[in-house]
Amino acid sequence: MNKSDIADVLNEIATLLEIKGENPFKIRAYQNGARKLETLEEDLGQLVSEGKLKEVAGFGDALVQKITELHETGKLEFFEKLKASVEPGLVSMLEIPGLGAKKIKAMHKELGVDSIDALKAACERGDVAGLKGFGKKTEEKILLGIENRAAYGKRHLWWDAYEVAKPILAGLQALPQVVSASHAGSLRRKRETVGDLDFIVGSDDPKPIMDWFVAQEGVKEVTAQGETKSSVRFESGLQADLRVVPPGQFTFAQHHFTGSKDHNVSMRQRALARGLSLSEWGLKPVDDEDFSNSKVASNEEELFALLDLEYIPPELREGAGELEAAEKRKMPNLLEESSIRGVFHNHTTASDGRCSLEEMTEAAQSKGWEYWGTADHSKASFQANGLDDERVLRQIEAIEALNASKQFSTYVFAGVECDILGDGALDLEESTLMQLDYVVASVHISMTQTEDEMTKRLIRAIEHPATTMLGHLTGRILLRREGYKVDVSKIVDAAIANDVIIEINANPRRLDMDWRFWRRAAEKGLLTSINPDAHRAEHFDFVSAGVNTARKGWLGEVNVFNTGSLEEIRKAFAKKRTGLKRLQG
Ligand code: DGT
Ligand code: CA
Ligand code: CA
Ligand code: ZN
């Protein structure tokens, strides 16, 4: 386990001890330990192996033993036993917004409440309101929290969250009291899903800003309203946090609350190594008492420069080596959506799409794209009205006719999304596939195979001479279905060896292959194509979600096939289809 995982465990221990009503000093020791660990400058592994944890970090014996055990084994017997000793009903109550260990303990002790169901009954009887320090308002809030627990607990697709966030950000920026405003957190880092929305504002006059924020249209509940921090909840269960800081602190707060936590930990360590302390308040000499003499940063470029770093775009702030790259001035030149010149893997009314070939072409043209490509399903996907060989050949003729008509300036490539059968064979005749400009090979059936079977199956499909691209690598549906297990590294190697592209499926529910694999894969030489998998013309907009994934995967224009010109694409396709007259014209 790394520092930040261990710190999480220590915090959890503190919470469990608090529920059990243990000694406050002991609880505080775990909380302090967690904080200290997060800001520890030295390499944890080295301190552990040299037995210097106590001496350098000042941890007590008990903490040293626990941190060592967690670091070395990833587990902690003490923690497991502690978890087992607390009634699970009490722990589950932590999920209810506004309920911390203290309140849970009090209700357990005074009312015998030991589960969410019992808590609900106690609230309905009015027992909770009668407890010291609770009151009617708290009781109502708890009841509401129980009701909406399922929706509140869940994460949200970035795509949906961003739709909610856009007008909030615009609204904040339009307020006269606002000097600067930014979104933050996972929303700004463009993670595929977000827990909540975070906003940071710089202003000397927070009150009217808070008032506007909690009174916005669509707000279902105000979960917190303070002088400088408020939280609201929308109908979907999505929560939004707003923090207002003095304008001089804005950049530091913006950076801090953009995160990630792991990124912040390495930034603080880098500051410490320069005798500086970095926080959401500013950047000051370690020995200064407060941040009143903080260094000045009027934007994040300047903040990074204060630590001798090149600017790190929010997408790359995941604690995955971005500081090393920024120190060496080797930040990648990330892909921009404007570099995309066309898209592949799209469905029409021929299979399960909603728009005709012409409608899709017209939409691609109005996007300003030079080309787009069809990829309707093949016959094994019968529920999606997949095409057999005969229908594929007829569709090719229709596309050739459309291109020849010059009705549109956007060129149409003929492709198919060909099912990969259980054994890795493709669903259509090789002679048919070779007449298409390109083939996206995807799995939609027999998804319960073992990792080994699935890996072999995908590699066989990759080795098929007609395969141009591999579709949605794992078949995952975010927040709904895990993907099937595959050995990604073996598949990446096979794709490179066979000149096969692995798509970034840009449907916001898929974003597959995941950004976490792309940096390494691209270094090895893998190409991607950002494929909207559009089932109607509006889905062409998904491209921007795919661009987010590419950027999070450190990809630039050179790594992305569909940044190529029409001529370059034709040549690349023809290389896989040598001998076809049609493509040489
Ligand atoms: P989410 O909301 O779960 O999708 O993820 P984030 O990254 O938006 O997390 P959130 O909303 O809890 O906090 C926003 C940022 O604030 C986070 O990325 C880093 C910073 N932050 C919050 N709590 C802590 C903390 O305990 N330690 C550190 N180092 N940073 C924190
Ligand atoms: Ca967040
Ligand atoms: Ca938050
Ligand atoms: Zn598919």
Side-chain angles (χ1 to χ4, degrees):
M1 269 191 182
N2 64 24
K3 282 181 205 169
S4 126
D5 294 334
I6 297 176
D8 288 345
V9 173
L10 296 182
N11 277 322
E12 236 177 288
I13 290 176
T15 306
L16 290 171
L17 292 175
E18 210 173 345
I19 292 180
K20 290 190 77 164
E22 297 267 347
N23 176 340
F25 290 104
K26 203 164 147 190
I27 296 165
R28 199 141 340 117
Y30 283 102
Q31 289 164 339
N32 289 341
R35 190 152 352 108
K36 231 187 266 174
L37 197 60
E38 269 192 10
T39 51
L40 191 66
E41 196 178 331
E42 289 80 5
D43 180 69
L44 182 62
Q46 200 170 339
L47 291 185
V48 168
S49 64
E50 290 171 1
K52 282 191 180 156
L53 255 184
K54 185 171 180 175
E55 171 189 337
V56 174
F59 294 127
D61 288 332
L63 261 185
V64 168
Q65 183 269 320
K66 290 183 177 91
I67 293 171
T68 306
E69 191 175 328
L70 280 166
H71 178 72
E72 283 173 354
T73 69
K75 281 209 281 284
L76 179 61
E77 212 189 321
F78 169 79
F79 180 47
E80 299 305 322
K81 282 192 180 148
L82 180 65
K83 267 197 285 193
S85 75
V86 179
E87 285 175 65
L90 297 181
V91 178
S92 68
M93 279 189 243
L94 284 168
E95 292 165 18
I96 299 165
L99 272 194
K102 257 196 209 86
K103 286 205 170 98
I104 293 171
K105 193 191 127 216
M107 293 187 296
H108 185 217
K109 198 166 151 230
E110 305 293 331
L111 304 171
V113 164
D114 60 358
S115 68
I116 292 181
D117 286 341
L119 175 60
K120 188 164 179 234
C123 288
E124 281 162 354
R125 282 195 306 268
D127 290 353
V128 171
L131 279 184
K132 209 175 117 211
F134 279 71
K136 197 77 209 146
K137 251 199 157 145
T138 309
E139 189 175 79
E140 276 164 16
K141 200 159 256 181
I142 293 174
L143 267 179
L144 197 66
I146 294 174
E147 250 171 63
N148 297 313
R149 187 166 42 109
Y152 288 6
K154 79 174 206 272
R155 298 183 66 80
H156 304 260
L157 284 184
W158 180 90
W159 187 259
D160 299 339
Y162 192 58
E163 279 306 308
V164 178
K166 272 190 278 190
I168 301 179
L169 189 57
L172 286 171
Q173 276 160 344
L175 294 177
Q177 300 82 7
V178 171
V179 178
S180 352
S182 171
H183 56 326
S186 50
L187 178 73
R188 185 163 180 243
R189 300 199 313 283
K190 300 180 181 166
R191 292 287 287 234
E192 60 278 25
T193 65
V194 306
D196 66 1
L197 309 181
D198 300 282
F199 298 95
I200 306 294
V201 159
S203 171
D204 284 320
D205 188 7
K207 175 88 173 49
I209 302 171
M210 287 298 166
D211 291 346
W212 176 85
F213 186 71
V214 299
Q216 282 173 89
E217 199 186 326
V219 167
K220 192 183 160 205
E221 185 195 349
V222 179
T223 46
Q225 187 174 6
E227 271 168 44
T228 58
K229 184 180 180 263
S230 293
S231 300
V232 296
R233 210 179 278 283
F234 297 94
E235 199 60 50
S236 61
L238 185 62
Q239 178 169 307
D241 292 344
L242 169 67
R243 289 179 179 78
V244 180
V245 301
Q249 272 171 29
F250 174 78
T251 302
F252 296 99
Q254 180 192 27
H255 174 265
H256 176 87
F257 290 106
T258 294
S260 66
K261 213 167 143 183
D262 289 338
H263 169 82
N264 288 353
V265 168
S266 8
M267 287 290 283
R268 281 204 303 263
Q269 285 169 356
R270 189 174 175 88
L272 281 174
R274 287 162 171 68
L276 298 168
S277 162
L278 175 68
S279 77
E280 69 254 52
W281 315 113
L283 180 67
K284 66 166 181 69
V286 172
D287 296 329
D288 277 16
E289 283 220 337
D290 56 30
F291 284 89
S292 50
N293 285 317
S294 167
K295 292 189 190 290
V296 175
S298 50
N299 55 45
E300 288 184 329
E301 276 85 358
E302 291 180 21
L303 191 160
F304 285 112
L306 287 172
L307 295 173
D308 309 310
L309 292 170
E310 198 180 337
Y311 176 70
I312 302 175
E315 293 95 322
L316 300 192
R317 300 184 199 164
E318 296 291 350
E322 67 272 17
L323 262 68
E324 286 81 349
E327 176 176 70
K328 295 191 196 115
R329 317 262 139 202
K330 290 233 167 92
M331 290 314 286
N333 205 345
L334 294 183
L335 177 72
E336 303 282 352
E337 186 170 347
S338 55
S339 304
I340 300 291
R341 295 166 82 161
V343 291
F344 303 102
H345 189 173
N346 303 290
H347 300 260
T348 71
T349 43
S351 63
D352 59 349
R354 290 289 185 83
C355 300
S356 67
L357 182 62
E358 287 77 14
E359 287 165 335
M360 292 294 274
T361 310
E362 182 160 19
Q365 178 179 272
S366 59
K367 280 270 189 192
W369 286 333
E370 293 172 33
Y371 50 86
W372 78 281
T374 59
D376 277 304
H377 286 286
S378 66
K379 61 184 191 294
S381 287
F382 54 86
Q383 75 297 338
N385 190 23
L387 279 59
D388 59 14
D389 291 84
E390 177 54 37
R391 289 177 65 208
V392 169
L393 295 175
R394 272 191 279 140
Q395 195 185 36
I396 294 176
E397 285 169 12
I399 290 171
E400 284 177 343
L402 184 65
N403 283 328
S405 78
K406 308 258 190 249
Q407 191 186 336
F408 301 101
S409 60
T410 299
Y411 185 83
V412 189
F413 284 108
V416 73
E417 182 179 19
C418 186
D419 260 292
I420 301 174
L421 304 179
D423 61 357
L426 296 189
D427 187 27
L428 296 166
E429 296 295 332
E430 184 172 326
S431 59
T432 307
L433 295 173
M434 291 304 271
Q435 295 197 48
L436 289 156
D437 295 319
Y438 75 105
V439 171
V440 180
S442 307
V443 167
H444 301 106
I445 50 174
S446 312
M447 308 219 290
T448 53
Q449 295 176 342
T450 63
E451 174 174 338
D452 197 40
E453 284 169 330
M454 192 57 94
T455 304
K456 288 200 180 107
R457 173 183 178 186
L458 290 181
I459 291 176
R460 187 169 165 213
I462 286 169
E463 287 170 345
H464 191 292
T467 302
T468 324
M469 303 182 189
L470 186 63
H472 43 71
L473 175 68
T474 73
R476 75 175 180 188
I477 304 292
L478 290 167
L479 305 175
R480 202 182 318 149
R481 175 177 91 199
E482 295 267 318
Y484 36 80
K485 297 267 177 298
V486 289
D487 186 329
V488 175
S489 144
K490 278 192 189 149
I491 288 171
V492 166
D493 290 343
I496 295 168
N498 291 280
D499 233 343
V500 164
I501 291 161
I502 294 186
E503 78 172 7
I504 289 177
N505 189 297
N507 182 315
R509 291 195 175 279
R510 292 190 182 269
L511 303 177
D512 188 12
M513 169 162 110
D514 190 281
W515 59 268
R516 293 161 185 82
F517 297 118
W518 273 110
R519 185 180 180 191
R520 179 82 192 98
E523 274 169 10
K524 286 185 179 174
L526 185 66
L527 262 189
T528 193
S529 173
I530 295 180
N531 292 351
D533 196 355
H535 282 70
R536 57 175 75 203
E538 304 89 85
H539 292 175
F540 278 154
D541 293 346
F542 290 168
V543 162
S544 65
V547 171
N548 292 348
T549 297
R551 289 173 64 91
K552 286 199 79 61
W554 295 60
L555 302 187
E557 200 176 313
V558 291
N559 310 112
V560 181
F561 182 64
N562 52 329
T563 60
S565 68
L566 178 60
E567 229 22 68
E568 288 166 326
I569 301 288
R570 277 179 200 260
K571 276 198 193 125
F573 283 160
K575 225 174 90 190
K576 277 224 133 179
R577 302 277 190 282
T578 27
L580 277 182
K581 285 246 159 13
R582 206 158 59 72
L583 281 164
Q584 290 152 5

